């Protein structure tokens, strides 16, 4: 996260303007700079956090309440919470064994076997990896189903939003503001409706046009976002250097595999590695015994969380396998060489 000193000039601009929230100059600038990162003309609308942004996107797309929301079980619990908040019921479908994410053709094939009417689809980009939105735009065109892409951790790799795409700005994600998120879309009418849903159903005046929320970002949060964007080129380089050091330090531990392209073509704020099948529990325990923390970011899969025990689940063998053979390692932009080596050594030890 940016230091207080780096944020200060932006905070002083807030003092001078006396504009603290409700679509002030910081928010306008932040959204314009986020939108400018996309290859085609795209709009960005910020929200209080990524989870809210997903919920409000489903509402803005008029996803039919009471229906199923197709999503991977291999995701963070926020995806399922967001669907429920939008009045939908998660239907957990398995991910592709090679890519670790939902496959659009697999979803098409499973739609015929859905345990009820389907209202929406949320594909999830796994741990910041790039996700091609084109098959999902086609699925939306062919079926008419609302599609929102959960690219929460993919700030660095998202470059097109032919269907609404959510990026989280949480402190744990690549571009952190503390709590925040945004939706990107090429559809101005969708963005207008989404924005109204973040602001009492107002559209340019003070009339509440439909049931809505207050999910705006304050100017203070946007000041952090602008600072983080100023620093992004150097933050990104630091992440990549650390990733490459980790890769090198684990060259002789081939049982550990990184996400394809991680720290080379794209970067993220987490390091999630694939381990030998079923090894997660033992490696986690060994690392802990050696004083090295690790994280199962997505637990055992969303379908295993008590909150979603009532939600229908398709066959999930790949999800079960991934949950038992992946683990998040310590990783941060300013990790030093000794810390990298310590993690690599502990991991090699854990794998015997
Ligand atoms: C972080 C994350 C979210 C939630 O974003 P917040 O900004 O924390 O609400 C949703 N989905 C996935 C896959 C995430 O990693």
């Amino acid at each position: 996260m940016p230091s207080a000193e780096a944020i200060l000039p932006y905070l002083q601009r807030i003092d001078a303007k006396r504009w603290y929230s409700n679509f002030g100059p910081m928010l306008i600038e932040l959204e314009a700079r986020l939108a400018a990162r996309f290859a085609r003309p795209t709009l960005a609308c910020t929200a209080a956090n990524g989870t809210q942004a997903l919920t409000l996107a489903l509402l803005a797309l008029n996803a039919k309440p009471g229906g199923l929301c197709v999503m991977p079980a291999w995701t963070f619990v926020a995806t399922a919470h967001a669907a429920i908040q939008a009045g939908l019921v998660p239907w957990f479908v398995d991910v592709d064994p090679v890519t670790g994410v939902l496959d659009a053709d697999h979803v098409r094939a499973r739609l015929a076997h859905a345990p009820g009417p389907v209202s929406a689809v949320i594909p999830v980009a796994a741990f910041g990896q790039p996700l091609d939105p084109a098959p999902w735009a086609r699925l939306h065109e062919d079926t008419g189903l609302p599609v929102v892409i959960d690219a929460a951790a993919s700030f660095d790799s998202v470059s097109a939003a032919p269907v609404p795409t959510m990026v989280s700005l949480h402190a744990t994600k690549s571009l952190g503001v503390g709590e925040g998120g945004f939706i990107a879309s090429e559809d101005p009418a969708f963005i207008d409706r989404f924005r109204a849903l973040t602001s009492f159903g107002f559209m340019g005046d003070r009339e509440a046009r439909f049931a809505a929320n207050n999910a705006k970002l304050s100017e203070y949060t946007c000041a952090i976002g602008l600072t983080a964007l100023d620093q992004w080129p150097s933050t990104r380089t630091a992440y990549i250097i650390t990733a490459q050091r980790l890769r090198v330090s684990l060259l002789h531990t081939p049982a550990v595999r990184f996400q394809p392209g991680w720290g080379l073509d794209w970067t993220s704020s987490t390091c999630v590695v694939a381990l030998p099948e079923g090894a997660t529990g033992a490696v986690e325990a060994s690392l802990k015994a050696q004083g090295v923390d690790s994280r199962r970011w997505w637990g055992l899969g969303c379908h295993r969380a008590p909150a979603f025990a009532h939600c229908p689940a398709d066959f999930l063998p790949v999800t079960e396998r991934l949950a038992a053979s992946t683990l998040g390692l310590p990783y941060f932009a300013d990790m030093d060489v000794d810390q990298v080596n310590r993690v690599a050594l502990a991991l090699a030890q854990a794998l015997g």
Side-chain angles (χ1 to χ4, degrees):
M1 294 288 292
S3 69
E5 204 180 5
I7 304 165
L8 189 60
Y10 286 105
L11 297 180
Q12 286 165 335
R13 269 168 58 184
I14 298 176
D15 290 347
K17 273 264 183 215
R18 296 195 181 194
W19 195 335
Y20 307 106
S21 191
N22 296 358
F23 315 118
M26 297 281 160
L27 180 129
I28 305 287
E29 188 181 336
L30 177 62
E31 291 183 349
R33 285 175 65 179
L34 292 172
R37 294 176 51 81
F38 289 76
R40 286 159 49 93
T42 299
L43 295 162
C45 183
T46 48
N49 57 60
T51 310
Q52 277 274 359
L54 276 183
T55 297
L56 300 181
L58 291 168
L59 294 174
L61 292 170
N62 291 310
K64 207 161 174 271
L68 299 172
C69 184
V70 179
M71 66 179 65
W74 189 230
T75 183
F76 183 51
V77 291
T79 318
H81 281 305
I84 290 175
Q85 291 298 310
L88 310 182
V89 179
W91 177 36
F92 299 116
V93 170
D94 211 3
V95 292
D96 182 84
V98 176
T99 61
V101 297
L102 275 191
D103 175 78
D105 289 333
H106 179 65
V107 168
R108 274 176 205 258
R110 297 309 298 158
L111 282 178
H113 305 273
V118 172
S119 290
V121 183
I122 307 183
V124 179
F127 310 114
Q129 82 187 27
L131 182 90
D132 180 9
W136 299 107
R138 280 198 297 277
L139 183 125
H140 165 67
E141 275 156 30
D142 296 349
T143 63
L145 282 173
V147 176
V148 182
I149 293 178
D150 177 345
S154 299
F155 171 75
D156 186 54
S157 63
V158 164
S159 60
V163 292
T165 300
M166 181 279 278
V167 176
S168 168
L169 302 175
H170 188 261
T172 51
K173 302 287 171 25
S174 307
L175 190 89
V177 300
E179 290 283 356
F182 70 93
I183 276 280
S185 168
E186 296 178 5
D187 178 357
F190 164 81
I191 288 288
D192 284 349
R193 208 178 138 74
F194 178 89
R195 190 180 297 286
L197 283 162
T198 70
S199 183
F200 315 109
F202 292 172
M203 292 178 108
D205 54 23
R206 296 183 62 80
E207 185 174 56
R209 285 176 171 70
F210 36 76
N213 212 314
N214 173 18
K216 304 184 298 288
L217 282 188
S218 84
E219 291 288 280
Y220 292 101
T221 304
C222 295
I224 303 169
L226 289 170
T227 316
L229 273 178
D230 293 342
Q231 297 180 348
W232 177 244
S234 61
T235 309
R236 185 178 194 276
T237 303
Y239 270 130
I240 284 183
I241 290 171
T242 306
Q244 301 206 1
R245 280 185 185 144
L246 256 172
R247 280 180 175 276
V248 169
S249 69
L250 283 161
L251 268 181
H252 301 294
T253 315
V256 175
R257 283 169 299 117
F258 294 91
Q259 287 181 278
W262 177 80
L264 303 165
D265 310 320
W266 59 275
T267 177
S268 66
S269 58
T270 57
C271 172
V272 178
V273 294
L275 302 168
E277 206 164 323
T280 298
V283 169
E284 188 181 35
S286 170
L287 289 179
K288 190 163 190 244
Q290 298 178 72
V292 173
D293 203 5
S294 63
R295 195 70 87 245
R296 295 189 192 219
W297 291 107
W298 292 351
L300 298 172
C302 242
H303 61 302
R304 299 285 205 96
F308 313 121
H310 65 288
C311 301
D314 207 13
F315 312 105
L316 301 170
V318 179
T319 301
E320 300 281 347
R321 212 173 68 219
L322 289 173
S325 53
T326 57
L327 193 61
L329 301 179
Y331 173 65
F332 39 98
D334 54 351
M335 206 167 167
D336 66 32
V337 176
D338 290 342
Q339 289 168 319
V340 167
N341 289 339
R342 185 159 165 238
V343 170
L345 206 67
L347 195 54
Q349 186 81 24
L351 286 160

